[in-house]
């Protein structure tokens, strides 16, 4: 049987959309803007790093990062993110969301700058320091996932909560877009100022010394949006749900929300203490009771995020390789170093503009009408369909006349990832678990996602290599080819669709209703 809701939480649930909602979206969203910018800008820079630091005299093709270095540069931030999600998710429930919210942003600012200031001129020193800073950058980024989602879900009203949490996550789209546009601008400026011949004309002169500044500027720019929102994060009050239900300070919760909502709210300290003593609010995270109530839900949120990120990150981090394979980006030897950055950035920006950004905002528009379950199921379904449509007739798509069709289908898989599970896997874990575990469980779900991202990012490097070892990239073993790799990703998406059935629908319900914190039932 459900108990009556605390007045302070009820006030939040029924509050009309106000200015503070949009302020919270921007403050939390700018963290995700920075997250996406930092995680995806490195994919624009990896080819340039190969040319600068791994050039071999007399080689027919420009230098590329060796497999182990490429895996480290691309994957180390993901490893840091996984660790940060678990650590800050746990810390957000222990100390409060607000107390640790500024730390994650500060880490992002320092490490974005540090990444661009990588010490030394030889390859080993630069890559080692770049990887060091990118790990800790990822650690800060990881903390932002559970904290931003939890803060937004606990501030939002019942009616539009899904849209508000999705809007925070949708700022990733603008981060990816800004990363591409900024790389285009910087590479265009340097290309204009320091003209160089193509690699096949003059291998050494094709990479001008100033190219070393290009990737550093692109990487460091990520610190600016984070720095702009740091002050406002520190000014945000703690969420009422944490203060009342976890810290058990009803008076502080009522005071904070009275200022935010600009209404008088009764504190109800006795009710908070009664609620805290109920069996529904006494069991631990690693208890049988948690397993009984929320075990399948946690399996649902972790498995769907894990499977989604295998597909999503393998596409995103290595889309430049797919563009090269279908001829959207000319062979590397026909370009100079900075021109290659420009062309990769342009291709990524077009995909972001046409599919990634619209997909995110379609979710924002429809999540509270269609519900989380329907959007996630639909997204996985269409990702499966389009991935197979790319994979089975793959040889057809490689012909010059059919390249536009390939890009359209490839864009549609991105569109339905974002108008689908990429957004909903972020939203749902912030809504269905009790307040005292909410940040931790979101962190666990997000970390499972990043484990999938690591599988996708590392695995796809090797999987997509040509079956013929002679045609594979330097230093890589023979793979299963792009076609078979796309078939594998299609199967992964189908499994995501099946595991979606473990995730409950939270649309239009209060957080306490979903987590059953108000229930009077006794614990077995």
């Amino acid at each position: 049987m459900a108990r009556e809701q605390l007045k302070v939480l009820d006030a939040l649930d029924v509050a009309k959309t106000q200015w503070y909602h949009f302020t919270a979206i921007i403050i939390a969203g700018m963290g995700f803007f920075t997250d996406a910018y930092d995680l995806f800008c490195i994919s624009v820079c990896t080819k340039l790093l190969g040319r600068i630091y791994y050039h071999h005299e007399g080689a027919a093709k420009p230098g590329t990062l060796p497999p182990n270095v490429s895996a480290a540069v691309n994957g180390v931030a993901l490893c840091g993110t996984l660790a940060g999600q678990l650590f800050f998710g746990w810390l957000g429930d222990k100390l409060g969301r607000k107390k640790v919210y500024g730390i994650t942003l500060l880490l992002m600012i320092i490490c974005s700058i540090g990444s661009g200031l990588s010490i030394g001129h030889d390859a080993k020193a630069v890559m080692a320091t770049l990887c060091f800073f990118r790990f800790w950058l990822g650690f800060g980024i990881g903390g932002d996932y559970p904290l931003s989602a939890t803060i937004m879900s606990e501030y939002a009203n019942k009616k539009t909560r899904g849209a508000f949490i999705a809007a925070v996550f949708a700022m990733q789209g603008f981060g990816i877009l800004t990363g591409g546009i900024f790389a285009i601008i910087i590479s265009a400026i340097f290309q204009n100022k320091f003209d160089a011949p193509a690699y096949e004309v003059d291998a050494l002169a094709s990479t001008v010394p100033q190219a070393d500044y290009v990737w550093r500027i692109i990487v460091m720019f990520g610190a600016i949006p984070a720095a702009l929102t740091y002050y406002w994060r520190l000014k945000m009050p703690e969420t009422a749900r944490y203060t009342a239900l976890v810290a058990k300070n009803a008076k502080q919760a009522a005071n904070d929300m009275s200022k935010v909502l600009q209404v008088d709210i009764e504190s109800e300290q006795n009710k908070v203490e009664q609620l805290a003593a109920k069996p529904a609010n006494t069991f631990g995270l690693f208890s049988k009771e948690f397993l009984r109530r929320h075990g399948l839900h946690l399996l649902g949120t972790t498995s769907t995020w894990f499977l989604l990120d295998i597909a999503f990150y393998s596409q995103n981090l290595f889309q430049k390789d797919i563009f090269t394979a279908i001829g959207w980006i000319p062979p590397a030897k026909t370009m100079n170093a900075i021109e290659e950055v420009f062309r990769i950035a342009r291709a990524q920006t077009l995909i972001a503009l046409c599919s990634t950004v619209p997909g995110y905002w379609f979710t924002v528009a429809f999540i509270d009408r269609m519900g989380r379950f329907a959007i996630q199921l639909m997204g996985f379904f269409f990702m499966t369909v389009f991935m197979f449509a790319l994979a089975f007739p793959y040889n057809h798509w490689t012909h010059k006349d059919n390249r536009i069709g390939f890009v359209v289908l490839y864009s549609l898989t991105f569109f339905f990832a974002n108008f689908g599970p990429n957004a909903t896997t972020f939203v749902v874990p912030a809504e269905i678990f009790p307040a005292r575990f909410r940040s931790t469980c979101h962190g666990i779900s997000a970390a499972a996602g990043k484990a999938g991202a690591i599988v996708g990012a590392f695995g796809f490097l090797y999987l997509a290599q040509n079956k013929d070892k002679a045609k594979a990239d330097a230093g890589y073993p023979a793979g299963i080819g792009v076609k078979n790799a796309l078939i594998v990703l299609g199967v992964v998406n189908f499994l995501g669709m099946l595991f979606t059935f473990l995730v409950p629908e939270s649309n239009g319900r209060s957080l306490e209703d979903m987590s059953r914190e108000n229930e009077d039932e006794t614990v077995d």
Side-chain angles (χ1 to χ4, degrees):
M1 193 184 82
R3 287 175 57 83
E4 190 189 339
Q5 178 80 301
L6 284 169
K7 285 191 172 72
V8 65
L9 305 187
D10 193 48
L12 282 166
D13 277 344
V14 300
K16 289 179 180 174
T17 301
Q18 297 174 35
W19 179 245
Y20 84 90
H21 287 121
F22 295 108
T23 311
I25 287 169
I26 292 163
I27 294 167
M30 285 312 282
F32 274 89
F33 177 99
T34 311
D35 299 348
Y37 180 93
D38 284 324
L39 281 176
F40 293 106
C41 73
I42 199 70
S43 68
V44 178
C45 300
T46 48
K47 296 254 177 170
L48 181 59
L49 288 166
R51 284 190 185 237
I52 296 169
Y53 295 107
Y54 293 92
H55 170 72
H56 297 293
E57 203 66 52
K61 291 180 182 178
T64 55
L65 297 183
N68 60 332
V69 176
S70 181
V73 170
N74 281 313
V76 74
L78 298 176
C79 296
T81 304
L82 189 154
Q85 284 162 338
L86 292 171
F87 177 72
F88 285 110
W90 169 78
L91 209 59
D93 283 334
K94 285 289 168 196
L95 302 180
R97 293 53 159 135
K98 175 189 160 65
K99 279 185 182 171
V100 288
Y101 206 29
I103 300 169
T104 60
L105 206 64
L106 204 56
L107 259 176
M108 280 189 245
I109 295 165
I110 293 166
C111 295
S112 287
I113 295 166
S115 297
L117 297 176
S118 294
I119 304 154
H121 290 289
D122 68 304
K124 268 190 179 176
V126 172
M127 294 304 149
T129 50
L130 178 63
C131 287
F132 172 81
F133 283 114
R134 284 192 67 72
F135 176 85
W136 290 107
L137 169 67
F139 195 69
I141 284 171
D144 229 50
Y145 276 72
L147 294 171
S148 289
T150 303
I151 284 169
M152 199 64 241
S153 75
E154 293 182 343
Y155 262 115
N157 58 45
K158 277 193 296 191
K159 194 178 173 186
T160 54
R161 185 178 62 233
F164 288 154
I165 306 171
V168 168
F169 196 63
M171 293 297 283
Q172 278 198 335
F174 290 125
I176 296 165
L177 199 57
T178 304
I181 291 168
F182 188 71
I184 287 170
I185 292 167
I186 294 299
S187 55
I189 291 168
F190 274 77
Q191 175 81 337
N192 188 48
K193 189 86 174 161
F194 308 103
D195 196 24
Y199 183 88
E200 61 188 359
V201 176
D202 187 337
L204 205 58
S206 70
T207 307
V208 294
Q210 291 81 3
D212 197 40
Y213 294 117
V214 173
W215 72 268
R216 293 177 187 271
I217 292 167
I218 292 169
V219 165
M220 288 169 74
F221 182 75
I224 294 172
L228 291 174
T229 53
Y230 182 69
Y231 170 77
W232 298 107
R233 280 205 178 185
L234 297 183
K235 295 285 281 181
M236 279 181 93
E238 182 58 87
T239 71
R241 284 183 159 90
Y242 182 85
T243 308
L245 299 175
V246 185
K248 301 176 182 59
N249 187 340
K251 189 178 179 185
Q252 187 63 51
N255 284 346
D256 287 344
M257 291 309 108
S258 293
K259 289 173 189 170
V260 169
L261 297 171
Q262 297 178 331
V263 291
D264 288 329
I265 300 171
E266 194 183 330
S267 64
E268 302 182 293
Q269 185 63 39
N270 288 342
K271 204 181 208 180
V272 165
E273 286 165 10
Q274 286 168 14
L275 204 58
K278 290 287 168 190
N281 296 308
T282 54
F283 60 86
L285 180 63
F286 300 107
S287 65
K288 282 183 183 175
E289 185 61 19
F290 178 87
L291 196 64
R292 184 178 75 82
R293 287 168 172 251
H294 305 291
L296 280 178
H297 297 164
L298 190 58
L299 176 62
T301 58
T302 50
S303 58
T304 50
W305 208 336
F306 173 78
L307 293 162
L308 175 273
D309 272 8
I310 290 176
F312 191 78
Y313 275 78
S314 61
Q315 291 176 82
N316 233 325
L317 284 172
F318 303 103
Q319 57 181 250
K320 63 182 183 294
D321 298 319
I322 292 171
F323 289 140
T324 304
I326 62 156
W328 241 39
I329 297 170
K333 64 181 181 182
T334 64
M335 300 180 282
N336 65 46
I338 297 172
E339 185 188 351
E340 189 174 30
V341 172
F342 177 85
R343 285 180 179 268
I344 293 168
R346 188 176 64 179
Q348 281 198 353
T349 306
L350 280 169
I351 286 289
L353 199 57
C354 298
S355 64
T356 310
V357 174
Y360 281 118
W361 292 99
F362 262 73
T363 303
V364 173
F366 291 105
I367 192 166
D368 291 311
R369 297 179 198 179
M370 292 173 61
R372 289 75 164 138
F373 178 82
I375 287 178
Q376 185 160 312
L377 200 65
M378 175 195 70
F380 270 129
F381 172 76
F382 282 114
M383 285 173 75
T384 307
V385 169
F386 291 128
M387 202 65 81
F388 285 146
L390 287 173
F392 290 116
Y394 182 70
N395 293 334
H396 166 81
W397 297 121
T398 56
H399 296 303
K400 199 167 187 179
D401 297 341
N402 304 325
R403 285 172 185 166
I404 297 300
F406 183 96
V407 173
V408 169
L409 283 180
Y410 185 74
S411 297
L412 283 169
T413 59
F414 262 94
F415 175 80
F416 281 105
N418 294 313
F419 182 31
N422 195 37
T424 53
T425 51
F426 175 79
V427 172
V428 175
E431 299 182 307
I432 62 175
F433 299 107
R436 65 190 186 281
F437 307 134
R438 188 168 290 134
S439 179
T440 304
C441 288
H442 194 286
I444 292 167
S445 303
K450 277 299 164 284
I454 292 163
V455 170
F458 283 74
F460 200 77
L461 261 176
Y462 294 87
L463 269 184
Q465 292 300 322
N466 200 294
K467 292 178 188 177
D468 181 357
K469 174 105 172 62
K471 293 180 182 176
D473 290 346
Y476 288 89
I480 62 172
V482 175
K483 176 179 177 171
N484 291 331
L486 289 169
I487 292 171
V488 170
L489 294 178
V491 172
V492 165
N493 290 330
F494 179 72
L495 289 172
M497 193 165 66
L498 297 181
F499 277 99
T500 295
F501 287 94
L502 294 176
V503 181
E505 180 56 78
S506 50
N507 193 18
R509 297 171 66 185
S510 79
L511 297 179
E512 289 66 44
D513 183 23
M514 283 305 301
S515 61
R516 295 161 62 190
E517 284 168 284
N518 284 346
E519 284 187 357
D520 272 338
E521 88 173 66
T522 56
V523 173
D524 297 336

